[in-house]
Structures are given as C-alpha cells and as structure tokens.
C-alpha cells in the first residue's frame, strides 16, 4: 500500500448480515475503502484481479471455498494481499482460527453475538479498528522502506535448513560472558502462531530448560495453539496450568485471558507456574511484562528473554528488569516480523544483545543455554 492512499478491502462472508455489518464498520474507519464484497471464497478469488484489494476480511466456514482454502490460494496467487479472519469459531472450534494464522492471516476477530445490531456493530468495530490500523502501519512502513515482502504478508520466506546457519544476527553489544540460562521467556503477539512454529520446531528435544511463552490471545484459543505447536515441535508444548512445576524440554503457553508468572514454593524453593486473574498490563492479559518480571526475580542472570513480532510495547519494561539482573535478551528483526512493534523499545533502549531474523532465533536461543 502506498502512503496517502486508502486501504482497499474486500469483505468475504456467506452471511449477508455480516457482509453488511463488516462493510459498514470498515467504511467508517479513516483511510479505508471497501471495494467489494463476496459471498464465498471462490467468488472472492474471481474478483481479486479486478478489484485489487490490499486486504480481505474472511469468514472461515463458507460454501464453495472456505476461508482456509482462500488463504492457501492467496499465498500462491496473491501473496501481497493480507487477510483478517472474522470467525464464529471459539472454544472447541478454535483450532480453525489457529490454522488460519499459521497459513498467513494477519489476525482474527470473533463474530459478535450481543443480541442487538448496534451492540454487535460496536463490538466488531472495537475488534477490527486496532487490527486494521496496525495492518495499515505495517504496509506504509514497508512501502516507505522499500521492504514490502513479495513472498507474503507476514514473515519473509524461510530459507532452507542449510542456509539458516549462514544468516548472521546483528549483535548490538558484545557477548555477556559464558553465563548459561536456565529458562527461556518469550513474548509475542501479532504473527505469533506462525513465528512460534518456526522457533519451536528448531528447538532440540534435549534443550534442557523450560520455555515460558506469552502469546497475546483471547481465552479459549491458547489450548488449540499449544496443541498445534506440540505437533510441530520436538519438545512438549502445552497450555500452562496452575501449579505446573517447571520441567526441562517443555514449553508452557500462558492461558488466553489470564496472567502467568513464576513463583517458588516449599523448603526446596521449587519453581512453579502461578496462573492469576490479575489486571491486564499494557492492555494485555496475558502480559509479557507480567511474566518477565517474575523470571527476573527468580532466575536473575541465568535467563534468556526473547521478544518477537507483535503490536504495542508489552514486554519492554519486563525485559529491562531482566537485563538489569544480567539476563541475555534476543529480539526478532524488523524484516521478518509481521508487525515490528514489541521489539522496538528494547532495541532503542540498547538492552538487546542479539537482533536476529526469525529463521535464526532458535539457533541464538540454544546458544544461551548450552
């Protein structure tokens, strides 16, 4: 998208009610133009060349061609076009939203069911507006910098396993000695499911330390995310539970809509996970700052903090707390990030030891624990 031009959006849904509602909400957003609608995926694909949208809003369950099939075809034929899922799936059906994110969707919003049209429209506006703004910023920045990714709307294309070893990270500061970490803590948001799949698939089964993950996500979806990532990983990946004792070679994902921290308990000071309903921080629950502070308190210098793709600045203050204790800090670079937001402050504050592309992050993480 060229700065100064409106974001062109194609609305795709088999329900005329939601096509109208989504179109009305988007038309009221500054800098957005709804260029057309389609009642299923095949109709949408037929209109792509003529309408030239920058973004699609996609229902998942549609006749002819569903939203997941559209994402697959878009990746092959229109990789420069983004997608936001507007989904009715929650709870047990949440895995379809995770699959959409893994196939390259920018983000998703749940279809509101508040009872009245006005309440539903307002709920939809609250969900869509910040995501669309973030997508616009991403497109504008990439246009200005000449970094628009011609292979997709998210991370840059993954090189082969052989070339990964040759991708050089940017070391902002010299290495901090030979201190080895006993835990890895990760904060990630928009673009996270796909990025986490890349990172965790590169972690060996004998990693030797636990991994704690905050992925910004609403309730009911982190269980499906953990299941999906577990299938791709050599270590165990699961949604964290109250009282889980930290175990090596296991990744714990904070439950959506709740906070996660590390606490010590018992005479032996056994470290375990505490799940709470403490207030959101930076508008986020779970919050990376909330997790990182507890990691700093219990692991000190023997920790690695990782900040990845995502909107906002959650995690920056917590990483500073970790760095003050001597921890190693790793950030995902701008080019491979779906949204380069969460890593910007830690890098600007000069508390990051390594800035690396997504495909290199697992290699850099492993270095800190071995």
């Amino acid at each position: 998208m060229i700065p100064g031009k409106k974001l062109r959006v194609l609305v795709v849904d088999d329900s005329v009610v939601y096509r109208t509602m989504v179109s009305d909400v988007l038309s009221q957003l500054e800098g957005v133009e709804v260029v057309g609608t389609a009642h299923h995926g095949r109709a949408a694909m037929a209109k792509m060349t003529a309408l030239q949208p920058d973004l699609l809003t996609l229902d998942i369950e549609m006749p002819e061609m569903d939203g997941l099939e559209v994402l697959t075809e878009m990746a092959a034929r229109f990789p420069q076009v983004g997608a936001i899922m507007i989904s009715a799936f929650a709870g047990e059906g949440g895995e379809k939203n995770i699959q959409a994110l893994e196939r390259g969707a920018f983000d998703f919003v749940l279809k509101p069911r508040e009872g009245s049209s006005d309440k539903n429209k307002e709920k939809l506006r609250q969900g869509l507006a910040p995501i669309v703004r973030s997508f616009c910023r991403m497109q504008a920045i990439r246009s200005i910098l000449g970094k628009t990714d011609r292979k997709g709307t998210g991370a840059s294309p993954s090189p082969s396993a052989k070339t990964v070893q040759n991708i050089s990270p940017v070391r902002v500061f010299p290495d901090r000695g030979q201190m080895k970490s006993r835990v890895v803590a990760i904060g990630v948001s928009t673009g996270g499911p796909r990025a986490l799949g890349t990172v965790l698939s590169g972690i060996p089964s004998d990693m030797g330390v636990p991994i704690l993950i905050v992925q910004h996500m609403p309730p009911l979806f982190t269980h499906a995310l953990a299941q999906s990532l577990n299938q791709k990983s050599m270590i165990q990946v699961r949604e964290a539970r109250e009282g889980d004792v930290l175990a090596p070679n296991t990744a714990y994902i904070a439950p959506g809509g709740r906070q996660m921290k590390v606490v010590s308990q018992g005479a032996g000071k056994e470290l375990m996970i505490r799940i709470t309903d403490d207030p959101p921080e930076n508008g986020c629950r779970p919050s990376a700052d909330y997790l990182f502070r507890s990691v700093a308190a219990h692991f000190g210098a023997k920790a690695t903090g990782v900040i990845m793709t995502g909107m906002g600045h959650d995690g920056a203050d917590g990483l500073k707390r970790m760095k003050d204790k001597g921890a190693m800090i790793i950030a995902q670079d701008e080019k491979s990030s779906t949204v380069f937001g969460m890593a910007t402050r830690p890098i600007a504050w000069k508390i990051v030891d390594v800035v690396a592309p997504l495909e290199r992050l697992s290699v850099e993480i492993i270095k800190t624990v071995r």
Side-chain angles (χ1 to χ4, degrees):
M1 188 182 75
I2 300 174
K5 288 192 174 182
K6 288 190 174 183
L7 184 79
R8 297 172 61 82
V9 184
L10 174 62
V11 176
V12 188
D13 199 300
D14 62 333
S15 164
V16 65
V17 172
Y18 276 104
R19 286 201 305 274
T20 302
M21 187 184 302
V22 173
S23 297
D24 288 348
V25 168
L26 290 172
S27 297
Q28 294 170 8
L29 299 181
E30 184 179 357
V32 176
E33 177 185 6
V34 176
V35 296
T37 64
H39 61 289
H40 56 61
R42 197 166 301 283
M45 297 309 297
K47 295 182 177 184
M48 291 285 280
T49 301
L51 296 179
Q52 296 187 334
D54 303 301
L55 177 70
L56 268 63
T57 64
L58 272 177
D59 188 14
I60 290 184
E61 197 168 61
M62 297 182 291
E64 297 288 335
M65 177 185 285
D66 67 22
L68 296 178
E69 293 171 321
V70 171
L71 289 171
T72 300
E73 188 158 337
M74 282 174 58
R77 295 178 54 196
F78 304 100
Q80 75 283 4
V81 180
I84 296 173
M85 312 308 292
I86 301 181
S87 170
F89 288 101
E92 295 300 318
E95 69 275 0
K96 289 185 178 290
N97 297 304
I98 302 303
Q99 290 174 27
L101 296 174
E102 291 173 337
R103 294 191 190 193
F106 185 75
D107 211 331
F108 74 90
V109 174
L110 289 179
K111 287 185 173 180
R113 302 183 185 278
E114 299 293 333
S116 75
S117 176
D118 288 342
K119 287 183 178 179
N120 283 335
K121 190 175 290 188
E122 176 58 22
K123 188 77 172 178
L124 189 61
R125 187 196 66 78
Q126 291 174 1
L128 267 178
I131 295 174
V132 171
R133 284 197 298 268
S134 181
F135 184 84
C136 288
R137 286 196 299 270
M138 178 197 73
Q139 293 288 77
I141 290 170
R142 287 184 174 178
S143 177
I144 292 169
L145 299 179
K147 291 183 177 180
T148 301
D149 178 9
R150 291 179 172 81
K151 294 295 184 180
T153 61
S156 56
S158 299
S160 67
K162 290 182 179 179
T163 61
V164 166
Q165 300 297 328
N166 296 322
I167 299 175
S168 299
V170 177
R171 298 189 179 278
V172 182
F173 297 111
D175 288 337
R176 299 289 203 259
Q178 297 302 312
M179 180 74 71
K180 299 302 178 184
S181 295
R182 295 193 295 116
V183 69
V184 176
I186 298 175
V188 63
S189 186
T190 310
R194 202 175 190 183
L196 285 171
T198 298
V199 171
L200 293 181
S201 64
I203 299 297
S205 59
D206 60 347
M207 175 77 163
V209 304
I211 300 176
L212 304 171
I213 300 170
V214 162
Q215 160 72 63
H216 293 161
M217 195 166 275
L220 306 176
F221 293 99
T222 42
H223 179 69
L225 174 63
Q227 288 183 317
S228 177
L229 292 172
N230 190 56
Q231 295 174 355
K232 301 177 175 68
S233 307
M234 290 180 280
I235 62 172
Q236 182 181 8
V237 183
R238 59 188 182 85
E239 187 179 52
R241 297 169 299 197
E242 169 67 20
D244 276 342
V245 176
L246 295 187
N249 310 318
T250 304
Y252 303 89
I253 298 181
R258 306 196 71 191
Q259 300 286 24
M260 179 175 77
K261 63 182 176 180
V262 178
V263 298
S264 60
Q265 186 167 306
K269 298 296 183 182
E270 191 172 49
L271 294 177
M272 61 180 58
I273 289 174
R274 176 65 45 81
I275 305 297
T276 78
D277 292 315
D278 287 344
E281 297 188 16
N282 310 303
C284 304
R285 189 167 67 183
S287 162
D289 272 337
Y290 187 92
L291 170 65
F292 290 163
R293 287 197 305 272
S294 70
V295 170
H298 291 283
F299 288 92
K302 296 181 179 180
T304 298
V306 184
I307 197 76
M308 294 173 59
T309 177
M311 291 188 285
H313 299 289
D314 184 40
D317 291 333
L319 286 180
K320 187 176 186 305
R321 187 82 62 91
M322 290 179 66
K323 174 51 64 178
D324 289 343
K325 296 280 188 175
M328 284 289 296
I329 309 298
I330 299 171
Q332 184 177 349
D333 72 359
E334 179 177 6
K335 187 175 182 180
S336 69
S337 295
T338 300
V339 177
F340 190 59
M342 291 173 70
T344 55
R345 281 186 182 175
I347 292 173
W349 291 348
K350 298 185 178 180
I351 61 173
V352 174
D353 297 286
V354 177
V355 180
L358 176 63
E359 297 80 10
R360 182 78 191 185
L361 288 180
S362 59
V363 175
E364 295 300 320
I365 291 169
I366 292 167
K367 285 181 180 179
T368 70
V369 303
R370 289 185 171 176

